[in-house]
Amino acid sequence: MANPDQMPQKVLLVDDDPGDLKTLENILKSQNINAVTANDWSTALYQFNQQKFDLAIIELDLDDLLGTALIQKWRDHDVVSKRDCAYIVSIGMQRTSGDEALISEIGDIAKLAKPFKTPAVLGAMAKAMAMAKQRSQLSQIKSQLIDPLLRQKKFDKASEIASKKLLSIGNKGKHLAVKVYEEAGALDKALQVASELAKAEPQNMAYLNEVGRLNMLLGNLDAAKKAFEVADKAAPMNIARLNDMASLYLELKEPENSVNTFRQILNLTPEDKEIKFDMYQRLMQAGFDKHAQDFCKETSTPIELIRHFNNKGVIYSKDNDYISAIDEYKKALDLIPQAKEIYRIKYNMAIAHINLKYVDHIMTAHELLQECLELNPEFEKAREKLKVTEKYLQKYRSAG
């Protein structure tokens, strides 16, 4: 029997091999530990959102998703109390140096080799729980002593407390201090400490990643690119870094690299059906309309895109915010201007213009309804609204 003080009470087991999942479940049951099982990533996400776990044991190579992707999501969970979960990744015979580097970069993850043996499982659980406890203690220093000062905008005092309480703890404390300095606006100081950490532990890509991110914030784009690409080559599939890299490539006017990075993010976030629409907008806002349109065509159907922006526009329209509704509809028009299905957006956009009631908007609505009927001559609602705008415009011209 394991030491109960070192053991979790409730564990989430994630493995797509039924035999391995059952073996783990039996080992935990023999120790009187409550286990909840998930045989795929979507079930794992559901269970983690629904319940509070002390520990999760996750297979590294799940079908369609790396287990480390789940850990990254849960470390940044919307429910703060869930971020303190301890983690073990279970690893079979196939693993790469990149897998090892990413596990190290994410940090505080115990490893467990297959096939599972009771002593190894219990040892990994004790190690993971100890890591999570230390991580939680560091987090408490920040949340209890430093975050209140940051909220009060007492940045100098927050930086002073970080220096006194965190720098002496070791590299993990220094890493947390980097984040405090950044939140306090002391970017040069944050970069100095991050650079020292990267030099002291060159194999830990978490520190080099901070160097890249801080250089990007300081406008040192070439230095940021160099740091990010070295870290990404050594430890690929870090979701936060990929997001930063996508933004950096846009600033550097390298849209092809940005799109390639967005593709990786999509593969790592299959549960987020909305994220790609934000990607299209980031490309459009950076001035890369053609890249946005091509990427949209590659990853979305016209109906899917229309439904997304139409729903957003309708929400604004219900609040009588027709200008914002028109902006949402226009995003769809910009992304798929030639799609026949776009008549739906043109119709709703016309209705928003009509509701604004000014003559210029009525004229625009009239043009949109004509375009709508050119795409779908059988759309009777559009034909009825077209008659309304024609009547209004005729009356306006007669009055003029």
Side-chain angles (χ1 to χ4, degrees):
M1 180 74 70
N3 184 345
D5 293 335
Q6 298 177 328
M7 290 294 108
Q9 294 183 354
K10 193 172 187 179
V11 178
L12 176 61
L13 306 177
V14 187
D15 201 307
D16 53 27
D17 185 308
D20 287 340
L21 201 59
K22 191 63 178 177
T23 298
L24 275 177
E25 187 178 13
N26 289 338
I27 290 173
L28 267 61
K29 191 176 294 184
S30 72
Q31 303 297 315
N32 296 318
I33 296 172
N34 184 14
V36 176
T37 62
N39 60 6
D40 56 44
W41 62 264
S42 59
T43 305
L45 284 170
Y46 174 80
Q47 293 289 7
F48 196 89
N49 287 334
Q50 293 298 311
Q51 304 181 60
K52 178 74 165 63
F53 295 97
D54 304 305
L55 170 70
I57 303 177
I58 307 170
E59 182 184 15
L60 178 62
D61 291 312
L62 289 170
D63 284 344
D64 301 326
L65 191 69
L66 285 173
T68 45
L70 288 175
I71 297 174
Q72 291 177 70
K73 299 173 200 298
W74 292 339
R75 281 271 173 84
D76 197 32
H77 201 279
D78 290 339
V79 179
V80 176
S81 62
K82 291 180 180 288
R83 299 176 188 175
D84 290 334
C85 184
Y87 293 102
I88 297 171
V89 289
S90 60
I91 304 172
M93 296 298 293
Q94 299 296 324
R95 55 176 160 173
T96 67
S97 59
D99 294 331
E100 294 283 358
L102 183 58
I103 291 168
S104 176
E105 180 181 6
I106 295 170
D108 299 324
I109 301 172
K111 291 180 287 188
L112 178 63
K114 294 186 178 186
F116 301 125
K117 302 296 182 183
T118 299
V121 172
L122 298 181
M125 286 199 295
K127 184 176 181 179
M129 293 298 290
M131 288 177 171
K133 182 177 180 180
Q134 184 187 44
R135 189 182 187 91
S136 178
Q137 288 171 341
L138 282 171
S139 180
Q140 285 178 16
I141 292 174
K142 183 175 183 296
S143 63
Q144 294 175 7
L145 297 179
I146 299 171
D147 285 349
L149 295 171
L150 292 171
R151 286 193 292 270
Q152 297 169 36
K153 301 189 183 303
K154 296 180 179 179
F155 299 131
D156 289 342
K157 186 64 175 177
S159 295
E160 179 186 341
I161 297 296
S163 298
K164 289 180 178 179
K165 295 287 186 180
L166 297 174
L167 294 184
S168 61
I169 293 176
N171 286 352
K172 287 185 178 180
K174 291 177 182 178
H175 192 198
L176 185 56
V178 168
K179 298 183 183 300
V180 174
Y181 296 145
E182 179 188 341
E183 290 181 56
L187 297 181
D188 288 323
K189 189 172 185 179
L191 179 57
Q192 177 187 345
V193 177
S195 298
E196 291 171 357
L197 285 169
K199 186 176 181 179
E201 287 191 40
Q203 77 284 357
N204 191 331
M205 294 301 109
Y207 303 143
L208 185 59
N209 196 58
E210 294 289 0
V211 170
R213 196 168 53 78
L214 289 163
N215 269 308
M216 185 171 71
L217 292 173
L218 286 164
N220 306 325
L221 302 187
D222 289 336
K225 180 180 179 180
K226 181 179 179 180
F228 278 148
E229 289 185 345
V230 170
D232 192 60
K233 183 177 180 180
M237 308 301 177
N238 181 310
I239 298 171
R241 176 169 55 245
L242 289 170
N243 267 303
D244 287 335
M245 290 176 72
S247 297
L248 176 65
Y249 287 136
L250 291 177
E251 289 192 55
L252 288 168
K253 308 300 181 186
E254 299 178 10
E256 293 86 359
N257 284 335
S258 188
V259 169
N260 287 334
T261 306
F262 282 142
R263 289 192 185 101
Q264 294 181 63
I265 297 170
L266 284 180
N267 289 334
L268 291 167
T269 54
E271 81 288 354
D272 190 343
K273 304 302 182 184
E274 304 292 301
I275 193 172
K276 57 188 175 184
F277 302 109
D278 174 66
M279 294 173 180
Y280 310 150
Q281 291 307 299
R282 287 165 69 180
L283 286 162
M284 296 284 283
Q285 289 163 4
F288 301 113
D289 293 13
K290 183 63 165 57
H291 290 84
Q293 290 167 357
D294 290 345
F295 188 45
C296 174
K297 186 176 180 180
E298 172 191 332
T299 54
S300 292
T301 65
I303 291 298
E304 187 180 9
L305 185 91
I306 288 166
R307 184 183 298 116
H308 172 81
F309 288 109
N310 183 59
N311 288 344
K312 295 186 72 174
V314 168
I315 290 170
Y316 283 119
S317 291
K318 286 182 178 178
D319 290 334
N320 300 321
D321 185 356
Y322 301 115
I323 295 297
S324 294
I326 289 167
D327 286 343
E328 292 301 324
Y329 297 140
K330 187 176 183 301
K331 291 173 183 177
L333 286 177
D334 290 341
L335 285 166
I336 51 171
Q338 306 303 322
K340 182 178 180 180
E341 297 89 342
I342 204 68
Y343 77 88
R344 301 170 186 270
I345 287 290
K346 289 180 180 286
Y347 175 78
N348 284 332
M349 197 171 181
I351 298 302
H353 278 289
I354 290 171
N355 284 324
L356 288 168
K357 298 180 180 178
Y358 292 101
V359 64
D360 288 348
H361 288 285
I362 302 298
M363 292 174 68
T364 300
H366 186 75
E367 293 173 5
L368 285 166
L369 290 166
Q370 287 178 320
E371 293 169 6
C372 176
L373 286 166
E374 287 176 8
L375 292 168
N376 185 357
E378 306 301 321
F379 193 13
E380 288 303 318
K381 283 186 177 181
R383 195 171 302 281
E384 292 171 7
K385 290 296 180 183
L386 183 64
K387 291 177 182 178
V388 172
T389 60
E390 286 174 344
K391 184 177 181 180
Y392 179 93
L393 292 173
Q394 185 178 15
K395 183 178 179 181
Y396 174 78
R397 294 187 187 104
S398 298

